[in-house]
Amino acid sequence: PSSTPQTPITTTTSATTTTATANDAWNLGAAYYNTPLSHAPGLPDRKYIPIIPPKYNDAARNIKVATFNVMPKGADFRNKLIRTDELKGYRTRPNYFSWGRRGPLIIEEMKRAHADIICIQGCDQFEFFYEKLSPRGFVGIYERSTPPSHTKNVYFGDGLAIFWRTDKFELSGRQRVALGDARFVADIALLARLKLRSPFVDAHDMTHMQRHIAYESFVKCKQYDSEQAFWAVLSTKYLYLFKDKQTYDVQRMVQCLDLDTFAVLHAEDETHFEALSGGLEFTLHAKDAGKGTLQFVCDEVHVNVRWTREITRAQIGTQLDVWNAHFIHGHCAKHEVRRVKQAYALYEAIAQCSARMRLERKNIGNGDARYQHSAAYAN
C-alpha cells in the first residue's frame, strides 16, 4: 500500500506523546513532523508534510489526513489471470498479493499514522476497514464503482472510502460524482462534507461568549413569554436569552440553547434568506421530536433576516469538503489524456459542490449509485 499523510501537529509513540506549539511546529517543519514511530517490521516510514501553518497557537485545530491506495482484494485473482509465465493460474509463495497478508499490514499503517481523516482508494473491503477502525473512534462512507452499461467483461468492483474521527467531525453531507460519461467510465470521486466539532466550548463562560458574538438584538419567544422581549445573543454555537440588554451575567440569563441540537435553517444561497425567514418570525425545530420547537418574533423584517442568516452560519459552523478520487488506470498516452480530462471534471465538480450550502444525503456506510452526479468531459 502507499500512503501520503498530511499536516500532523502531534506525533505519538507507544511510550510518549509530544505536542509542539504552533510556531515551533511550523518552524521545525518536516524535522518535527517526521519523528520516528514504532511500527510492524517491514513497514516503510511515511513522511508527513506540513501544508498550512497553525493559527492562534491552537494545536487542537490542526488536521492530519492520510490516504492509502490499497489495491482491491480481488486484484489477487486478477494477478493470477494476467501472469504469462509457467506459474499462470497458481499462487506464488510467499503470496504478497493475498489479502490475508496485506490487510493486517494496511491496518497497522493506519494505526501508526494517527490520522484524523483517512481516505482509501481501490477499496472492496469496506466492512473489513470499518470493523478495524470503528473501535478506534472512526466512522466512514463508501461508494463502490459500477460497470458502465456500454462496457462488458471488464473487472469492476473496487471503490472509495473516507473515514474520520467522530470526536472531531460529524457528517454534514456526501456526494458521489462520475468522472466522465457513466456509460463508458467507471471512475468516480467521493465527497464527504465534515463539520468540525467544538466539544470544549463552555456555554457558561461569559468571557468567551463576549469575544465571539455574531449578532444580538431584542426578540420575543412564544414558548416563554409572548409579550416580554429578551436580549438574544448568538455566540459560537449557542443562542443566549438574557433579561436585560447587554447584561452578560449568568444570573440574568433566561436560557442557553445549543444550536447543534436543532435542525439547520437551510438556505441555498444568500438571496434566499429573506424568503426563508417568512416575515417577523423564525422557528427552531429540535432534532429530538419530543422537545418540540421554539418560535421567535422580531420587531422588523430585516432583523429577522439577519437572525436567520447568522443562525444558519452558526449551525453550519466550520465545514471541510474532503474529496477522494481514483482516475483511470493505464500507462499509455491515451490513458494519460483521459486522466487529464478526469482531473478537469473533478475540479468542476469541486467548484459546483463548494457553491452548494446543502448536500441532501447524510447516511453513514455504503452509498447508492442512483444518487450519482455526473461530471462529464468531452471525448
Side-chain angles (χ1 to χ4, degrees):
S2 62
S3 66
T4 311
Q6 310 288 338
T7 62
I9 192 66
T10 302
T11 57
T12 307
T13 65
S14 57
T16 61
T17 300
T18 59
T19 302
T21 63
N23 292 333
D24 291 342
W26 182 249
N27 292 332
L28 288 173
Y32 174 80
Y33 289 97
N34 296 323
T35 302
L37 301 175
S38 59
H39 59 275
L43 291 181
D45 289 326
R46 307 295 185 184
K47 301 300 182 182
Y48 281 112
I49 305 173
I51 301 299
I52 302 176
K55 295 182 180 180
Y56 313 119
N57 292 331
D58 188 359
R61 287 189 172 273
N62 285 272
I63 300 169
K64 297 175 286 183
V65 181
T67 177
F68 297 85
N69 192 332
V70 300
M71 191 171 72
K73 179 181 179 181
D76 179 28
F77 175 72
R78 284 197 294 173
N79 175 63
K80 292 185 290 184
L81 293 181
I82 64 177
R83 293 187 70 99
T84 58
D85 56 16
E86 63 277 5
L87 295 178
K88 179 179 180 180
Y90 294 91
R91 291 180 178 271
T92 56
R93 293 182 180 278
N95 185 10
Y96 293 104
F97 285 96
S98 69
W99 185 255
R101 173 182 173 80
R102 293 189 295 115
L105 292 179
I106 294 171
I107 294 298
E108 285 300 318
E109 284 228 47
M110 291 179 176
K111 289 180 180 179
R112 65 181 291 267
H114 299 289
D116 301 310
I117 299 172
I118 298 176
C119 298
I120 307 174
Q121 305 90 43
C123 177
D124 62 352
Q125 297 295 307
F126 177 72
E127 291 76 12
F128 170 82
F129 289 111
Y130 210 116
E131 177 185 353
K132 300 298 182 182
L133 293 176
S134 58
R136 304 183 69 85
F138 285 85
V139 296
I141 59 176
Y142 176 65
E143 292 286 352
R144 190 181 187 92
S145 61
T146 55
S149 59
H150 286 42
T151 304
K152 305 297 182 182
N153 301 322
V154 179
Y155 173 85
F156 298 96
D158 55 348
L160 302 171
I162 301 176
F163 289 88
W164 60 89
R165 286 176 48 185
T166 56
D167 61 338
K168 273 198 170 185
F169 306 99
E170 63 178 279
L171 183 66
S172 295
R174 61 186 289 177
Q175 182 70 56
R176 171 193 175 114
V177 177
L179 298 178
D181 191 335
R183 296 175 300 171
F184 304 97
V185 177
D187 304 292
I188 60 174
L190 176 61
L191 163 64
R193 179 165 292 174
L194 304 179
K195 178 181 177 181
L196 186 64
R197 293 183 182 273
S198 301
F200 304 113
V201 177
D202 184 1
H204 294 86
D205 185 347
M206 295 293 103
T207 302
H208 180 277
M209 183 272 290
Q210 294 180 58
R211 288 201 305 262
H212 297 85
I213 293 178
Y215 189 58
E216 55 185 344
S217 74
F218 277 113
V219 299
K220 296 179 181 179
C221 182
K222 293 183 177 181
Q223 280 66 31
Y224 290 102
D225 188 339
S226 59
E227 299 300 326
Q228 181 180 356
F230 299 100
W231 185 251
V233 179
L234 177 63
S235 178
T236 317
K237 64 170 186 172
Y238 295 103
L239 178 61
Y240 299 86
L241 298 179
F242 293 97
K243 295 181 179 179
D244 305 307
K245 179 179 179 180
Q246 295 181 335
T247 304
Y248 309 122
D249 187 352
V250 176
Q251 302 299 326
R252 303 294 294 171
M253 183 171 64
V254 178
Q255 183 63 275
C256 175
L257 304 173
D258 186 349
L259 294 177
D260 284 345
T261 62
F262 294 88
V264 178
L265 296 175
H266 278 298
E268 292 300 323
D269 55 50
E270 293 287 334
T271 63
H272 292 151
F273 277 109
E274 185 169 355
L276 176 67
S277 59
L280 298 176
E281 298 183 4
F282 65 92
T283 304
L284 294 177
H285 299 272
K287 293 180 180 179
D288 186 350
K291 295 184 178 180
T293 61
L294 291 175
Q295 291 180 297
F296 296 90
V297 181
C298 305
D299 293 332
E300 300 179 12
V301 173
H302 75 88
V303 175
N304 190 35
V305 172
R306 180 70 183 275
W307 271 114
T308 305
R309 178 185 294 112
E310 296 299 338
I311 288 177
T312 300
R313 290 174 176 172
Q315 290 180 312
I316 292 174
T318 302
Q319 292 187 338
L320 310 175
D321 278 356
V322 181
W323 284 89
N324 191 13
H326 200 176
F327 291 170
I328 189 171
H329 177 74
H331 304 287
C332 65
K334 181 179 179 180
H335 286 130
E336 186 62 29
V337 171
R338 294 183 67 179
R339 277 193 289 271
V340 172
K341 291 182 178 180
Q342 287 184 336
Y344 279 114
L346 177 59
Y347 293 149
E348 180 182 352
I350 291 174
Q352 291 176 352
C353 291
S354 297
R356 296 172 58 188
M357 295 184 63
R358 183 178 184 181
L359 298 177
E360 296 292 342
R361 300 173 58 211
K362 298 181 180 180
N363 60 295
I364 302 294
N366 289 315
D368 191 335
R370 293 178 299 174
Y371 298 98
Q372 178 169 264
H373 170 74
S374 295
Y377 55 84
N379 291 324

